Amino acid sequence: MGLFLKDINLKGKTALVTGATKGLGRGAAIALAQVGANIIAVGRNISELKSLGKIIKKLNVKYTSFNCDVNDYKTIKNNITKLKKLDILINNAGTNIPEPFLKVKDSSLETLLNVNTKAVFNIAQLCANQIIKLNKKGGSIINISSIFGLVAGQDRTVYSMTKFGVEGLTKGMALDLAKYNIRVNSVCPNIVLTPRTKKYFANKKYNKYVKESTPLDKIATVSDVATSIAFLASEASSMITGTSIIIDGGWTAK
Amino acid sequence: MFKKINLKGKTALVTGAGKGLGKACAIALAEAGAKVITISRTKSDLAKVDKIIKKTKGSSKSFVCDVTDLDSFKILLKKINNLDILVNNAGTNRPEHFTKVKRGNMEYLTNLNMKAVFNIAQLCAQKMVKAKNRIKIGGSIIHMSSQLGKVGCEGRNVYNMNKFGVEGLARGMACELAKYNIRVNTVCPTFVETPMVKAFFKNKKFKNKMLKNIPLGRIATESDVATAVAFLAADSSAMITGTSLVVDGGWTAQ
């Protein structure tokens, strides 16, 4: 820490990251490890968890992984309540099934609500309880939201419903957890190029739409989002709670 | 993956740099490696800030100038070779009940908090776009807004009007300056430990009432805000434009 500039430093902190094997979750895990955090990765793919572990361990921090589905409440609960250290949650696991409103399948609605809303809530609650139990100094919870938590997008009705929900949850949690000095914020990226969004970008029309919607005329990188997550996780943002960092190149400013 | 807050090789201009938040921002930006140009009406204040920056091995140059005096500011800008970052900070407040607001105070606040903010931003942006490599190296303008740029508060109607205006200005500027890769954002702090707020908080009843509105139960430090400004100034936030970083301990989440 300088006189006025605070460091983004997570040495000695432990962060749990869901959806850690791919895209933003993987980026967040690596970025947090780069600034010193020990990482607990949650993901569904054993070999990807292992390869992430190799990268993280090279950064001289501890690495643990849970191979489980965020929808599997029993297993998740069992794992989280056994943790000996926990300061930070990156509540990242999420998905999307773009469909026009009139054609949204019941099964798609079910999947998105389960992953993006119910699992996000459950994991946040379990981790908050565990942080309170283990750590009197507080902590930081970051929910991965989206610009579609702030505005609508074509074929994104269910996704918007779930992400607007995450924005509401973030503010509500921030109020309830402030007395424990647990800060709760979200990050709202525009469309980041990840394994999940790769297929969208394959469509020329979609590419054009994203380009035209983003004043800065570029898509966010995983590194852009992971850096904001690290900032929110650290004491550099110790007065920031109940809000969102919008990483959208001006998409929602219009 | 993680992008450090690093301003080496950048030149930043900070208005209202003699005291409070401006002073903290100037020092924080210098700590992050920027060459800082400090502006204030009071020479002795600037000398103190320069001394601190020198002590921390930073680089700074100061100019005595009233930001409402456009001609002087124009002359000053001519003396500067390059500009990458503007912290548009100079501002003040004169709290009065709406029905009792004196016209002179409304004029004074609006001239400083809106007119000068606009003019300084325009002049600096004109200077910034002239750099041939601007698109490559980018630029960043940060307006000092307030939580009162987001929500109302008793006795703050003029300040509310001014700061909501600054929020609008930031979004408009972000859309127009994106093509030069100049990002424009605001920082919205809650009450901060500054000379201005210390004067308001002499009224204990007011202080307690305000503290009740901050879920985290404390007011922000100058360092909290200056760190957020440095984050927005740096490439750590390369995809963030047209938005606000709310540093309010949860005030506006309610």
Side-chain angles (χ1 to χ4, degrees):
Chain A
M1 153 114 201
L3 267 177
F4 284 101
L5 182 67
K6 296 193 205 181
D7 291 335
I8 298 176
N9 183 347
L10 298 174
K11 275 200 188 90
K13 305 277 183 188
T14 300
L16 185 141
V17 183
T18 66
T21 57
K22 289 188 187 76
L24 290 180
R26 186 171 177 276
I30 295 169
L32 295 186
Q34 281 177 324
V35 291
N38 300 317
I39 302 296
I40 302 161
V42 180
R44 285 179 302 177
N45 185 316
I46 290 191
S47 66
E48 285 177 347
L49 282 172
K50 275 188 186 149
S51 70
L52 176 65
K54 274 187 195 152
I55 297 169
I56 301 263
K57 281 177 196 160
K58 273 193 195 143
L59 298 164
N60 296 320
V61 295
K62 288 179 199 150
Y63 178 78
T64 338
S65 66
F66 299 141
N67 178 224
C68 74
D69 187 323
V70 288
N71 292 309
D72 178 357
Y73 184 76
K74 247 188 170 168
T75 311
I76 284 278
K77 186 179 175 185
N78 198 22
N79 282 322
I80 291 173
T81 49
K82 275 188 194 147
L83 291 176
K84 298 276 191 303
K85 282 190 110 181
L86 187 63
D87 309 282
I88 296 153
L89 163 65
I90 312 301
N91 207 356
N92 166 71
T95 190
N96 191 7
I97 306 169
E99 282 167 329
F101 177 65
L102 297 173
K103 303 241 168 99
V104 171
K105 287 185 214 72
D106 200 33
S107 61
S108 313
L109 174 66
E110 199 69 26
T111 302
L112 289 190
L113 281 175
N114 282 341
V115 181
N116 293 357
T117 306
K118 291 180 194 170
V120 161
F121 183 97
N122 288 332
I123 288 173
Q125 191 188 45
L126 289 166
C127 285
N129 274 313
Q130 195 66 7
I131 293 172
I132 292 165
K133 200 171 117 188
L134 294 172
N135 184 347
K136 294 281 172 290
K137 280 190 189 151
S140 178
I141 295 176
I142 296 118
N143 294 322
I144 307 307
S145 180
S146 161
I147 50 165
F148 298 124
L150 307 168
V151 296
Q154 200 80 46
D155 298 343
R156 300 291 190 279
T157 51
V158 186
Y159 192 70
S160 264
M161 178 169 76
T162 60
K163 291 300 186 183
F164 270 70
V166 168
E167 290 295 301
L169 173 67
T170 300
K171 291 187 193 304
M173 283 174 64
L175 297 189
D176 285 359
L177 300 178
K179 64 177 161 194
Y180 305 103
N181 199 28
I182 297 173
R183 298 180 297 107
V184 188
N185 294 288
S186 78
V187 289
C188 301
N190 70 344
I191 300 121
V192 187
L193 184 62
T194 64
R196 171 160 71 75
T197 62
K198 218 169 145 185
K199 56 184 180 288
Y200 310 150
F201 282 109
N203 179 337
K204 264 194 187 151
K205 235 172 100 188
Y206 187 81
N207 252 314
K208 198 172 163 234
Y209 154 70
V210 172
K211 217 172 137 82
E212 284 172 0
S213 304
T214 311
L216 273 189
D217 201 15
K218 57 186 179 192
I219 57 170
T221 63
V222 171
S223 162
D224 286 323
V225 184
T227 300
S228 283
I229 291 172
F231 172 66
L232 285 174
S234 77
E235 288 298 301
S237 63
S238 63
M239 261 309 272
I240 301 182
T241 192
T243 186
S244 316
I245 292 192
I246 304 170
I247 310 155
D248 69 353
W251 183 305
T252 59
K254 301 189 303 304
Chain B
M1 185 59 66
F2 173 70
K3 292 191 277 186
K4 205 175 167 235
I5 299 176
N6 183 350
L7 298 175
K8 278 201 187 89
K10 305 278 183 187
T11 303
L13 188 146
V14 183
T15 65
K19 290 194 205 54
L21 285 180
K23 176 183 170 185
C25 290
I27 296 167
L29 295 183
E31 286 179 315
K35 187 181 163 206
V36 181
I37 294 152
T38 54
I39 314 281
S40 157
R41 285 174 303 177
T42 317
K43 200 174 180 178
S44 57
D45 285 345
L46 286 174
K48 281 181 206 155
V49 177
D50 277 348
K51 213 171 152 188
I52 297 171
I53 291 180
K54 210 172 235 171
K55 243 191 208 166
T56 58
K57 286 171 190 155
S59 158
S60 68
K61 192 170 169 58
S62 63
F63 291 96
V64 176
C65 175
D66 183 331
V67 290
T68 59
D69 177 0
L70 263 198
D71 290 334
S72 302
F73 190 77
K74 276 184 195 164
I75 293 168
L76 175 168
L77 266 189
K78 279 191 187 140
K79 294 180 188 160
I80 298 165
N81 292 329
N82 185 39
L83 187 61
D84 306 292
I85 296 154
L86 164 67
V87 181
N88 207 358
N89 165 72
T92 193
N93 195 2
R94 287 179 181 171
E96 282 171 315
H97 187 273
F98 179 62
T99 56
K100 305 257 168 77
V101 171
K102 288 181 209 75
R103 217 171 130 216
N105 285 340
M106 193 276 280
E107 285 272 341
Y108 179 78
L109 288 181
T110 302
N111 282 341
L112 180 59
N113 293 345
M114 293 179 98
K115 208 172 169 185
V117 161
F118 182 96
N119 286 330
I120 299 275
Q122 192 189 39
L123 288 169
C124 288
Q126 285 166 350
K127 176 134 196 140
M128 287 164 87
V129 299
K130 276 188 197 142
K132 286 203 181 82
N133 57 347
R134 182 57 62 204
I135 291 175
K136 192 173 164 241
I137 62 171
S140 179
I141 295 176
I142 299 119
H143 297 295
M144 192 55 71
S145 181
S146 164
Q147 63 183 9
L148 303 182
K150 302 272 174 190
V151 295
C153 180
E154 61 188 52
R156 261 68 183 171
N157 48 83
V158 182
Y159 195 73
N160 273 142
M161 174 172 79
N162 297 161
K163 292 300 188 184
F164 270 72
V166 169
E167 290 295 312
L169 173 65
R171 278 149 187 80
M173 283 175 61
C175 291
E176 292 191 31
L177 300 178
K179 65 175 166 195
Y180 305 103
N181 198 17
I182 297 172
R183 299 179 295 107
V184 187
N185 294 287
T186 72
V187 172
C188 300
T190 183
F191 288 93
V192 189
E193 290 165 7
T194 60
M196 183 176 94
V197 171
K198 271 179 197 152
F200 298 153
F201 276 8
K202 276 185 188 148
N203 178 343
K204 285 269 142 38
K205 214 174 128 192
F206 178 76
K207 181 182 174 182
N208 290 334
K209 203 170 166 187
M210 292 304 108
L211 273 176
K212 266 190 198 149
N213 285 328
I214 306 175
L216 280 185
R218 58 180 185 258
I219 66 171
T221 63
E222 290 172 339
S223 167
D224 288 326
V225 182
T227 301
V229 168
F231 174 74
L232 287 175
D235 284 340
S236 311
S237 61
M239 259 309 271
I240 303 182
T241 192
T243 183
S244 318
L245 199 42
V246 183
V247 189
D248 71 351
W251 180 298
T252 60
Q254 304 166 85

